[in-house]
C-alpha cells in the first residue's frame, strides 16, 4: 500500500514565479492536510481539504496561496508570485477519517521549495 | 488555546548515553492526543507514537520510552543507550477538539560517536 506521495521533492523558483505542489493521499483516504515548515521551526497547519471541498483554510495566507483537491487527481497547493519568505518545506498528510482525534495523519516526504 | 512547548532547542550527547526530550502542552480539552515524530536529516517525518489523554501508562518500545503525566501536562520522550542513528529533530504534537496538529518547535538531537 503506497504511502502519501508528494512531488516534486525539491522545487526551485525565482521570485515572481508560480509554484505548484502536488499531493496524492494514501489509497482510501479522502482527507488531505497541508502544513508548512519554515527553517528551524515546527510545522504549521495551512489547510484541510476533502474531495472538491475546502473545509478549513484558516492557516493559509490570504493572498497568493490556494489549494484544491479535485474529484480526480492529486491535491494541489499553488503559490503565485513566490517571494523568498515562501522558502520552506511543505508537507501533505492524509487520513481516512477527518475529525476523529485519535486519527493519525499520514505524512508525505515533503516538498522543499527554494525561492531564489 | 492549544500550545506545545519543547524548551530544548538542541541536545548533544555521546553515544550510549540516555537522553530525555521534554514536551509540555496546553489544552482546554479533556480529550486529546499527543504524538512524537522524528525528522532525520533526510527530512521526512517518521511517526513514533500516539497517546490519548485517558491512558497515562508509560510506554516502552525498544530503546524508546514515553512518560505521560497529565498533572504536569508533559509527555517526555527518553532514548536509552543512544546511537548515532538517533540523531534527528524530534517533534511533539497535540491534537484536541480540532483535527489540526499543533506542533512544538522541535528538539535537535545530536549523538556523537
Amino acid at each position: 500500500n503506497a504511502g502519501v506521495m508528494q512531488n516534486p521533492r525539491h522545487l526551485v523558483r525565482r521570485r515572481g514565479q508560480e509554484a505548484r505542489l502536488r499531493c496524492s493521499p494514501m489509497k482510501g483516504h479522502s482527507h488531505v492536510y497541508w502544513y508548512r515548515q519554515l527553517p528551524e521551526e515546527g510545522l504549521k497547519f495551512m489547510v484541510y481539504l476533502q474531495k472538491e471541498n475546502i473545509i478549513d483554510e484558516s492557516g493559509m495566507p490570504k493572498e497568493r496561496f490556494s489549494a484544491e483537491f479535485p474529484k480526480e487527481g492529486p491535491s494541489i497547493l499553488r503559490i503565485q508570485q513566490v517571494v523568498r519568505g515562501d522558502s520552506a518545506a511543505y508537507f501533505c498528510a492524509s487520513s481516512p477519517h477527518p475529525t476523529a482525534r485519535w486519527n493519525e495523519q499520514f505524512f508525505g516526504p515533503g516538498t522543499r521549495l527554494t525561492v531564489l | 488555546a492549544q500550545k506545545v512547548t519543547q524548551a530544548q532547542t538542541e541536545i548533544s550527547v555521546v553515544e550510549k548515553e540516555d537522553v530525555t526530550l521534554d514536551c509540555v502542552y496546553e489544552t482546554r480539552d479533556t480529550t486529546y492526543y499527543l504524538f512524537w515524530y522524528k525528522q532525520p536529516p533526510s527530512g521526512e517525518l517518521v511517526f513514533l507514537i500516539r497517546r490519548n489523554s485517558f491512558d497515562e501508562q508509560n510506554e516502552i518500545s525498544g530503546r524508546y520510552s514515553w512518560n505521560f503525566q497529565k498533572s504536569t501536562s508533559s509527555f517526555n520522550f527518553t532514548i536509552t543507550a543512544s546511537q548515532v542513528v538517533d540523531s534527528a529533530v524530534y517533534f511533539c504534537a497535540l491534537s484536541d477538539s480540532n483535527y489540526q496538529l499543533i506542533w512544538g518547535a522541535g528538539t535537535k538531537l545530536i549523538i556523537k560517536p
Side-chain angles (χ1 to χ4, degrees):
Chain A
N1 190 9
V4 178
M5 311 284 283
Q6 287 188 252
N7 67 81
R9 293 291 304 276
H10 300 273
L11 182 61
V12 179
R13 285 287 179 266
R14 297 190 181 280
R15 280 180 298 170
Q17 291 184 320
E18 179 179 286
R20 280 182 179 245
L21 287 61
R22 294 174 184 78
C23 169
S24 296
M26 285 182 72
K27 187 176 180 181
H29 290 191
S30 56
H31 305 273
V32 165
Y33 314 80
W34 285 93
Y35 292 83
R36 178 165 66 174
Q37 183 182 24
L38 294 171
E40 310 296 324
E41 294 188 14
L43 278 69
K44 296 287 194 295
F45 168 81
M46 298 181 73
V47 61
Y48 160 42
L49 309 107
Q50 294 179 23
K51 286 278 187 183
E52 300 184 281
N53 281 306
I54 297 175
I55 307 303
D56 180 355
E57 55 182 351
S58 59
M60 198 108 95
K62 294 288 184 279
E63 297 179 352
R64 302 188 298 107
F65 285 72
S66 62
E68 62 176 7
F69 189 16
K71 188 176 179 181
E72 301 291 337
S75 174
I76 307 285
L77 179 66
R78 182 183 177 206
I79 311 172
Q80 294 178 290
Q81 299 176 310
V82 296
V83 300
R84 288 217 172 101
D86 296 333
S87 295
Y90 292 83
F91 287 92
C92 168
S94 73
S95 69
H97 304 291
T99 57
R101 285 159 289 179
W102 50 264
N103 178 50
E104 176 194 343
Q105 295 179 11
F106 296 81
F107 282 85
T111 293
R112 274 139 194 91
L113 173 64
T114 302
V115 179
L116 301 177
Chain B
Q2 315 99 314
K3 186 178 178 182
V4 175
T5 302
Q6 294 180 257
Q8 304 150 309
T9 305
E10 182 174 306
I11 300 175
S12 181
V13 301
V14 176
E15 199 173 20
K16 296 183 184 174
E17 286 185 15
D18 299 347
V19 58
T20 296
L21 283 60
D22 298 333
C23 173
V24 174
Y25 61 91
E26 294 177 29
T27 177
R28 285 175 289 193
D29 282 10
T30 55
T31 303
Y32 50 89
Y33 287 80
L34 295 162
F35 302 78
W36 276 94
Y37 284 86
K38 173 182 180 180
Q39 188 175 44
S42 52
E44 74 271 22
L45 289 166
V46 179
F47 168 79
L48 295 178
I49 190 172
R50 174 183 63 236
R51 174 52 54 88
N52 76 59
S53 53
F54 297 108
D55 183 2
E56 288 195 71
Q57 277 194 333
N58 290 334
E59 179 149 345
I60 298 174
S61 176
R63 296 184 296 106
Y64 294 172
S65 62
W66 290 268
N67 182 4
F68 176 32
Q69 293 197 336
K70 286 180 76 170
S71 60
T72 56
S73 297
S74 65
F75 186 42
N76 297 338
F77 172 35
T78 297
I79 301 175
T80 303
S82 60
Q83 299 176 2
V84 172
V85 293
D86 295 327
S87 297
V89 180
Y90 290 85
F91 291 98
C92 180
L94 164 73
S95 171
D96 51 20
S97 59
N98 198 332
Y99 42 75
Q100 297 177 19
L101 278 172
I102 308 298
W103 296 73
T107 296
K108 184 175 183 180
L109 178 62
I110 300 170
I111 310 296
K112 299 176 184 175

